[in-house]
Amino acid sequence: MAYGPLGLKPWEFGRLTFGEFYELAEGYHWRTQQEQRMTAGFVASIINTCTSRDLKKPVTVELLLGYGPAQSQEKTKDQAKAEMKALLAEVG
């Protein structure tokens, strides 16, 4: 991750703290997500305007990226606690 996508040199990577490296990695992840959303927006508009078939529903960015209307990105506190408990039980 440090030498590939982030393009850090060994001496730059060695000077980073864990927090700084985490922030750089999070920024890279955010940029790739934004790029995917922008590309999906272009593709959705092309599909919706240039298709020769009548679509039942218009193609959306969420549909192309696999985010269904029933799926939410946020978890409730109870879900997060249950997942953490299951992870701690598995790890020990």
Side-chain angles (χ1 to χ4, degrees), residues 14-70:
R15 291 181 183 153
L16 291 176
T17 64
F18 291 118
E20 291 170 335
F21 179 70
Y22 175 78
E23 292 297 323
L24 285 172
E26 284 294 310
Y28 174 76
H29 180 68
W30 180 84
R31 285 189 303 277
T32 56
Q33 283 183 328
Q34 295 304 311
E35 189 175 294
Q36 286 177 345
R37 291 188 66 78
M38 187 179 352
T39 303
F42 289 134
V43 170
S45 57
I46 290 170
I47 291 172
N48 289 328
T49 58
C50 297
T51 186
S52 61
R53 300 180 185 181
D54 290 331
L55 300 174
K56 292 180 183 177
K57 295 188 296 185
V59 175
T60 62
V61 171
E62 290 77 17
L63 179 67
L64 290 175
L65 293 178
Y67 304 136

Side-chain angles (χ1 to χ4, degrees), residues 78-92:
D78 294 332
Q79 289 173 330
K81 284 181 182 178
E83 287 180 8
M84 183 60 77
K85 188 180 266 188
L87 179 64
L88 289 174
E90 184 179 326
V91 174

Side-chain angles (χ1 to χ4, degrees), residues 67-80:
Y67 304 136
Q71 298 173 346
S72 79
Q73 297 290 72
E74 297 180 19
K75 297 179 184 178
T76 64
K77 280 188 175 182
D78 294 332
Q79 289 173 330

